[in-house]
Amino acid sequence: MSAAAAVPLSLQLQAPQELKVGEVFSVQVNVKSTVALRGMPVQLEFSPQTLQVMDAEEGLFFRQDDAAISKTKTLEQANGRASMAVLRNGADGVSGNGTVASFRFKALAAGKAEVRISSARPIAGVAVAPPPLPEASQILVK
C-alpha cells in the first residue's frame, strides 16, 4: 500500500513565523486530497491576547470548475476561535491541492502567539476519516 493511499487527506497550516505589533497577516488552511471532497468545516484556535481575528474567507479549492459554494464563518475573539465552513452546492466533489480557507489576523501585542487547527471534518460522497491535524504554528510578535 502506498503512502498516498494510506493518507488520502492531509492538511497544512500556513502562517508567518514573525511579525510586528499592528501588522495584518493571513493564515491559510491548505488541503491535499486524493478523495473527492464536497466541503469541509475548519476551526482554528488562536492566542486572543496576542492576535485579533479580523475575517475569514473561502479559498479556491472548493471553487474548482467554477462551482457555486455555500459558506459560513464564525469569529469568536474572546474565546480565541474562528471557523469557516465551505460546501460545494453540487453533488460532485473535488480532489487535488489547494486552500480551503484563509483567516486574517492582526498582531495586537508583543509576545509568543499560537494558531492551530482544532477541528476539520471532510464532507464527501464516501466516508472519509478526519485528517490528522498539523502542528500548531508558533508566531513571534515583536
Side-chain angles (χ1 to χ4, degrees):
M1 192 154 126
S2 73
V7 183
L9 178 61
S10 63
L11 292 175
Q12 176 201 23
L13 193 60
Q14 187 178 335
Q17 293 182 319
E18 189 176 298
L19 34 93
K20 295 182 173 122
V21 171
E23 279 190 70
V24 174
F25 64 99
S26 290
V27 174
Q28 277 89 30
V29 177
N30 298 321
V31 67
K32 182 185 232 179
S33 179
T34 58
V35 176
L37 301 175
R38 285 194 54 231
M40 184 181 307
V42 176
Q43 181 172 292
L44 295 187
E45 290 183 352
F46 61 93
S47 307
Q49 65 282 5
T50 314
L51 304 176
Q52 175 187 359
V53 64
M54 299 177 71
D55 199 8
E57 52 192 37
E58 80 280 0
L60 296 177
F61 181 75
F62 289 112
R63 285 196 176 271
Q64 290 179 59
D65 307 320
D66 294 322
I69 61 152
S70 298
K71 61 184 179 178
T72 58
K73 66 181 173 186
T74 306
L75 308 176
E76 299 178 55
Q77 177 65 31
N79 297 323
R81 284 195 296 261
S83 62
M84 181 84 205
V86 184
L87 182 66
R88 286 170 68 92
N89 292 343
D92 60 323
V94 289
S95 58
N97 305 335
T99 300
V100 172
S102 180
F103 295 84
R104 201 163 72 239
F105 289 91
K106 182 176 183 178
L108 290 178
K112 291 181 181 175
E114 184 175 281
V115 177
R116 70 183 187 91
I117 300 174
S118 55
S119 77
R121 297 185 312 279
I123 299 167
V126 296
V128 180
L133 300 178
E135 291 287 315
S137 288
Q138 305 295 323
I139 301 170
L140 179 61
V141 180
K142 293 185 168 186

